[in-house]
Amino acid sequence: MGPGPSDVDPRVLAAMARPIIGHLDPEFISMMDQVKTMLKAVLQTENELTMPVSAPGSAGMETCFVNLVEAGDKVIVCQNGVFGGRMRENVERYGGTAIMVEDEWGQPVDPAKVEAAFAEHPDAKILAFVHAETSTGVRSDAKTLCQIAQKNNALTIVDAVTSMGGVELDVDGWGIDALYSGTQKCLSCPPGISPVTFSNKAVEVVKARKTPVASWFMDTNLVMGYWGGSGKRAYHHTAPVNALYALHESLVLLLNEGLENAWSRHDLHHQALKAGLEAMGLELLVDEEYRLPQLNSVVVPEGVDEAAVRSALLQNYSLEIGAGLGALAGKVWRIGLMGASCNRRNVMQCLDALENTIREQGIDVGQGAAQAAAKVYQN
Amino acid sequence: MGPGPSDVDPRVLAAMARPIIGHLDPEFISMMDQVKTMLKAVLQTENELTMPVSAPGSAGMETCFVNLVEAGDKVIVCQNGVFGGRMRENVERYGGTAIMVEDEWGQPVDPAKVEAAFAEHPDAKILAFVHAETSTGVRSDAKTLCQIAQKNNALTIVDAVTSMGGVELDVDGWGIDALYSGTQKCLSCPPGISPVTFSNKAVEVVKARKTPVASWFMDTNLVMGYWGGSGKRAYHHTAPVNALYALHESLVLLLNEGLENAWSRHDLHHQALKAGLEAMGLELLVDEEYRLPQLNSVVVPEGVDEAAVRSALLQNYSLEIGAGLGALAGKVWRIGLMGASCNRRNVMQCLDALENTIREQGIDVGQGAAQAAAKVYQN
């Protein structure tokens, strides 16, 4: 129950352990087509360039930036947590200029600040932001931010690592141009693969580049020779066959459940967890309006050794919860409710373990957590 | 029995399906240390920067080039197959100049040509070559090529994707500065991870760069914060936990067998396969002296529809063999004997299936293949 990787469904683990076949085998090619079709469904897009990058989310991020940013480009980068900072590094490594829009950690991206940044930099080519900040548990208003970008003729690059499968995400409806995600959050798949999608407009921008993409491995022009929809597949790199078995199975599970049902499930268990935490007198960092159900940042109460609590949870309950990162290090715990990890048993065990562990530090947290959570489930 | 991915040992598949734990969990960190120690043993190196890149071999290649090449650098690139060409692309995408040393596909890199290239370009910073060319089945003399580079004060970047675990590979003994490999060949592990090692000299060159590395994901300065040996691990990207379980298990298997024993096993089964192919009147592309036991390029006999043969092998025998690439497309089959795939049962089944399938095309290949191979095993 950390910030990811989340628990992997046993069906996904079993799929991963299937015997390998060749990465150009007709059976495998047909499975690739299914993966693409299911990714499109989950991302709610018709984008032809929709595929899993053969590397973790950080490489998915890099795939978006290395293809779309050229030297001299201005990119408005919103930072309200760890991952906006990483976006800035990406922009600068490809010779772009990052116009930073800063918000406090724990706050969503402020659309007014983004409007102001465009007013000052009407030539900005791209707006980049994180939909669901894993470092804080904040959801930003992706739809509104995309509208601002469109009004200013800019492309959008959206980090959906933690949002995909856990909360609403509508690539075509919101007009997102480039998006990357990860398998190890709400898809309940092992880490190592990054789903990516590019709009046709983004594809045109890549094709019109003046300079070659500064990466052979991540050049979408080349990768699409292998993942492209029609005709012959050209060898690009050796696909991680077993990791793709796993992704395939996790997408089957998600689509069987239904996107809306999965989002509701994340919300339900979040409400129960929240009720239990509040019964203990604990506070959530993020305002209700912007809270991600799948990533709960809990303010560490005064007098509690937060690292000792995490360590005791791991040792005594085999339960992982996350530490704060960056500006929030030492100040919050991050409790994940992602994918297969997002269930009633986990919520109840977590509340119980946390209550006992904090009590052992001499802090009174009452005994009502379980009851408060149970009440949510009864409604 | 294609050019990789090779069959995965059932123990490795089972390891991959173990429940996931956090990528910063103390138990996982201790497994990472074991992976590093075993990689060093298999690569015969003491290099501190020895780690698995969280992406396929192509990303391992890119990790070497993106860190070591700066704009304006001259790199002597040897091309005697597909992968030398990919090295050139890497050099050029990072603003370097590739000085090409060309040899025919099916021939090893000619050390005399490399000497001549250094004589003409004494300021070349790096010599890059492929140790075991998967596209042809040729082994080049890595030791001699490294000596030439050292004499000319140049670093070496070596592609050991197909050599690691199948033939002798001695990173420290030969003085290799940067090397990348893959898991899906002689390590019998699923594809998706690329073992990489950098000498201290190479690490110093990266640290002394004038410009930032043009990749955040592959910047060894950052990655080593997570994979580095001592002290606290800093979060860089989410490691592909289950893929690393698999790599760990495959390294245990290889080191239990013993490096020399693994190399001998590859040689033995190659000799048996060769005897059987020759009994059928088939010819190997590569001269005996440079032949890789783990990748056998077989010249397609006149009058045979090579694609139909591969397709029939797959459909009738569930047996994959590889097609020729690039200059050798349509001219050779590539039969892999890699890692767990390199065993007597596979050799005998492959010979039998190939004999029957070619005969069905109306070509007389006799009936002596099995007997010829069996004779090798009897000696």
Side-chain angles (χ1 to χ4, degrees):
Chain A
M1 302 179 75
S6 60
D7 270 350
V8 178
D9 191 284
R11 269 181 59 178
V12 174
L13 288 176
M16 202 168 191
R18 285 182 202 142
I20 197 164
I21 57 174
H23 60 107
L24 294 166
D25 189 294
E27 294 293 334
F28 185 68
I29 300 286
S30 126
M31 197 198 78
M32 287 167 67
D33 284 337
Q34 293 170 22
V35 166
K36 276 185 69 170
T37 302
M38 290 192 288
L39 280 179
K40 286 182 190 176
V42 172
L43 293 168
Q44 306 200 71
T45 182
E46 298 294 326
N47 288 342
E48 176 54 29
L49 199 168
T50 302
M51 60 168 191
V53 169
S54 302
S58 308
M61 178 190 285
E62 203 149 308
T63 298
C64 292
F65 284 93
V66 76
N67 280 284
L68 291 171
V69 177
E70 288 195 82
D73 285 347
K74 274 192 191 174
V75 182
I76 297 177
V77 175
C78 306
Q79 177 163 21
N80 62 336
V82 165
F83 296 95
R86 193 172 292 185
M87 285 176 154
R88 174 195 200 143
E89 284 234 33
N90 268 265
V91 171
E92 291 174 349
R93 280 171 192 247
Y94 303 124
T97 303
I99 316 291
M100 298 306 291
V101 169
E102 309 265 1
D103 279 289
E104 250 183 77
W105 290 42
Q107 293 295 321
V109 174
D110 180 351
K113 290 187 188 170
V114 174
E115 299 256 25
F118 271 115
E120 204 179 327
H121 303 279
D123 56 338
K125 176 179 169 185
I126 299 168
L127 170 67
F129 64 89
V130 178
H131 183 209
E133 245 301 343
T134 324
S135 62
T136 63
V138 161
R139 164 165 37 180
S140 289
D141 182 351
K143 188 178 176 180
T144 298
L145 294 172
C146 286
Q147 280 167 351
I148 297 171
Q150 282 147 21
K151 220 173 52 193
N152 289 279
N153 296 313
L155 296 171
T156 42
I157 296 180
V158 178
D159 177 326
V161 169
T162 289
S163 55
M164 184 180 183
V167 291
E168 191 189 3
L169 175 62
D170 186 355
V171 169
D172 287 358
W174 299 345
I176 293 172
D177 290 302
L179 173 144
Y180 58 92
S181 188
T183 47
Q184 78 280 15
K185 311 284 186 185
C186 299
L187 297 184
S188 301
C189 200
I193 302 288
S194 176
V196 161
T197 189
F198 276 46
S199 70
N200 292 339
K201 203 165 101 194
V203 170
E204 290 311 313
V205 169
V206 180
K207 284 188 181 155
R209 285 179 65 102
K210 291 178 222 94
T211 53
V213 174
S215 169
W216 186 91
F217 177 60
M218 301 189 208
D219 185 337
T220 53
N221 293 311
L222 302 178
V223 183
M224 282 303 282
Y226 180 53
W227 274 98
S230 53
K232 227 182 149 185
R233 307 292 174 128
Y235 166 55
H236 177 253
H237 65 276
T238 303
V241 175
N242 296 61
L244 292 170
Y245 292 163
L247 175 59
H248 183 279
E249 190 72 6
S250 74
L251 293 170
V252 167
L253 286 169
L254 176 54
L255 290 168
N256 276 354
E257 179 177 14
L259 286 183
E260 284 80 4
N261 291 339
W263 303 337
S264 306
R265 175 169 53 85
H266 282 88
D267 187 58
L268 171 68
H269 297 297
H270 158 72
Q271 297 297 343
L273 181 71
K274 185 190 78 160
L277 293 169
E278 287 175 350
M280 279 191 249
L282 297 175
E283 216 182 304
L284 290 175
L285 175 79
V286 176
D287 287 347
E288 189 148 11
E289 197 181 344
Y290 312 115
R291 228 174 253 165
L292 287 170
Q294 62 269 52
L295 198 286
N296 298 271
S297 282
V298 183
V299 179
V300 177
E302 225 164 299
V304 170
D305 178 344
E306 73 85 20
V309 169
R310 283 188 292 112
S311 172
L313 289 175
L314 191 58
Q315 280 177 23
N316 303 335
Y317 300 89
S318 287
L319 175 66
E320 185 194 54
I321 66 170
L325 288 180
L328 295 174
K331 296 182 184 159
V332 300
W333 293 302
R334 291 181 299 151
I335 302 180
L337 286 172
M338 299 176 177
S341 302
C342 181
N343 60 54
R344 182 166 176 168
R345 193 199 60 205
N346 275 5
V347 168
M348 300 310 281
Q349 285 186 349
C350 175
L351 289 171
D352 184 52
L354 202 56
E355 195 182 273
N356 293 337
T357 306
I358 298 179
R359 187 181 298 118
E360 281 162 21
Q361 289 216 0
I363 310 276
D364 179 20
V365 284
Q367 296 182 314
Q371 208 182 332
K375 213 169 150 189
V376 171
Y377 289 120
Q378 279 151 20
N379 291 342
Chain B
M1 299 181 77
S6 59
D7 270 351
V8 178
D9 191 284
R11 269 180 60 178
V12 174
L13 288 175
M16 202 165 190
R18 286 181 202 143
I20 197 162
I21 57 174
H23 61 106
L24 293 167
D25 189 293
E27 294 293 333
F28 185 68
I29 301 285
S30 125
M31 198 199 78
M32 287 167 66
D33 284 337
Q34 292 168 25
V35 166
K36 276 187 67 170
T37 302
M38 290 192 289
L39 279 179
K40 286 183 190 177
V42 171
L43 293 169
Q44 307 200 71
T45 182
E46 297 295 325
N47 288 342
E48 176 53 29
L49 199 168
T50 302
M51 60 168 191
V53 168
S54 302
S58 308
M61 178 190 284
E62 203 149 309
T63 298
C64 292
F65 285 93
V66 76
N67 281 283
L68 291 170
V69 176
E70 287 194 81
D73 284 346
K74 274 192 190 175
V75 181
I76 297 176
V77 174
C78 306
Q79 178 164 19
N80 61 334
V82 166
F83 296 95
R86 192 171 294 185
M87 285 176 155
R88 174 193 200 145
E89 284 234 34
N90 268 266
V91 170
E92 291 173 349
R93 279 170 193 247
Y94 303 124
T97 303
I99 316 292
M100 298 305 291
V101 170
E102 308 264 1
D103 280 288
E104 249 183 76
W105 289 42
Q107 292 295 320
V109 174
D110 181 351
K113 289 186 188 170
V114 174
E115 299 254 27
F118 271 115
E120 204 179 325
H121 303 278
D123 56 337
K125 176 180 168 184
I126 298 168
L127 170 67
F129 64 89
V130 178
H131 183 209
E133 244 303 342
T134 323
S135 61
T136 63
V138 160
R139 165 166 34 180
S140 289
D141 182 351
K143 187 178 176 179
T144 299
L145 294 172
C146 286
Q147 281 167 351
I148 296 171
Q150 283 146 21
K151 221 171 52 193
N152 289 280
N153 295 313
L155 295 171
T156 42
I157 296 180
V158 178
D159 176 326
V161 170
T162 289
S163 56
M164 186 179 182
V167 291
E168 190 188 3
L169 176 60
D170 186 356
V171 170
D172 287 358
W174 298 346
I176 293 171
D177 289 302
L179 174 143
Y180 58 92
S181 188
T183 47
Q184 77 280 17
K185 310 284 185 182
C186 298
L187 296 184
S188 302
C189 202
I193 302 288
S194 176
V196 160
T197 190
F198 276 46
S199 70
N200 292 338
K201 205 165 99 194
V203 170
E204 290 311 313
V205 169
V206 181
K207 285 189 181 155
R209 284 179 65 102
K210 290 179 224 95
T211 52
V213 173
S215 168
W216 186 92
F217 177 61
M218 301 190 208
D219 185 337
T220 54
N221 294 311
L222 302 178
V223 184
M224 283 304 281
Y226 181 53
W227 275 98
S230 52
K232 227 180 148 187
R233 307 293 175 126
Y235 165 56
H236 176 255
H237 65 277
T238 303
V241 175
N242 295 60
L244 291 170
Y245 292 164
L247 176 58
H248 183 280
E249 191 71 7
S250 74
L251 292 170
V252 167
L253 286 170
L254 176 54
L255 290 170
N256 276 353
E257 179 177 15
L259 286 182
E260 284 81 3
N261 291 339
W263 303 338
S264 305
R265 174 169 54 85
H266 282 88
D267 186 59
L268 170 68
H269 297 296
H270 158 72
Q271 296 297 342
L273 180 71
K274 185 189 77 159
L277 293 169
E278 287 175 351
M280 279 191 249
L282 297 176
E283 216 181 306
L284 291 175
L285 174 79
V286 176
D287 288 346
E288 189 148 12
E289 197 181 344
Y290 312 114
R291 227 174 254 165
L292 286 170
Q294 63 269 52
L295 198 287
N296 298 270
S297 282
V298 182
V299 179
V300 177
E302 225 163 298
V304 170
D305 178 342
E306 74 85 19
V309 167
R310 283 189 292 112
S311 172
L313 290 174
L314 191 59
Q315 281 177 22
N316 303 335
Y317 300 90
S318 286
L319 176 67
E320 184 196 54
I321 67 170
L325 289 179
L328 296 174
K331 296 182 183 160
V332 300
W333 294 303
R334 292 181 300 150
I335 302 179
L337 285 171
M338 298 176 177
S341 301
C342 181
N343 60 55
R344 183 164 174 170
R345 193 199 60 205
N346 275 5
V347 168
M348 301 309 281
Q349 286 186 347
C350 175
L351 289 170
D352 183 53
L354 202 56
E355 196 181 272
N356 292 337
T357 305
I358 299 179
R359 186 181 297 119
E360 281 162 20
Q361 291 217 357
I363 310 277
D364 179 19
V365 283
Q367 297 183 313
Q371 206 181 334
K375 212 168 149 188
V376 172
Y377 289 120
Q378 279 151 19
N379 290 340

